[in-house]
Amino acid sequence: MSERVVVRVPGKINLQLSVGPLESDGYHALATVFQAVSLCDDLVVSIVDKPGIHIRAEGRSDHMPTTKENLAYKAAELMKNNSR
């Protein structure tokens, strides 16, 4: 099994994002119109010796959370918990 995966994530601009009312399952219905752009992020997931989940952002990412609020953190947590 590889200890590192790199995925190129294409960017988009939301031209419209409509969020519906909260439904009984706890989710909202969404309707979106977006335009793809030629910018991409590279997402790298690695297995390291340190315990826990660590997120590091490079570039202009000073506004990005690196804690449990980050969707990448939540995804890594789900993967980690389901791989046991």
Side-chain angles (χ1 to χ4, degrees), residues 10-83:
K12 66 180 173 113
I13 296 174
N14 284 317
L15 303 173
Q16 178 184 354
L17 178 61
S18 300
V19 181
L22 184 64
E23 297 179 0
S24 61
D25 61 2
Y27 292 95
H28 298 268
L30 296 177
T32 183
V33 176
F34 65 88
Q35 174 63 51
V37 294
S38 60
L39 301 173
C40 293
D41 287 325
D42 289 331
L43 177 64
V44 180
V45 178
S46 303
I47 297 173
V48 296
D49 292 330
K50 293 189 272 183
I53 297 169
H54 308 277
I55 294 180
R56 184 184 69 206
E58 296 177 359
R60 299 191 58 180
S61 57
D62 52 346
H63 62 281
M64 185 187 87
T66 56
T67 57
K68 290 185 178 188
E69 293 80 36
N70 186 301
L71 289 177
Y73 188 104
K74 291 178 183 182
E77 201 168 41
L78 284 170
M79 291 175 64
K80 178 180 160 200
N81 292 338
N82 288 317
S83 67

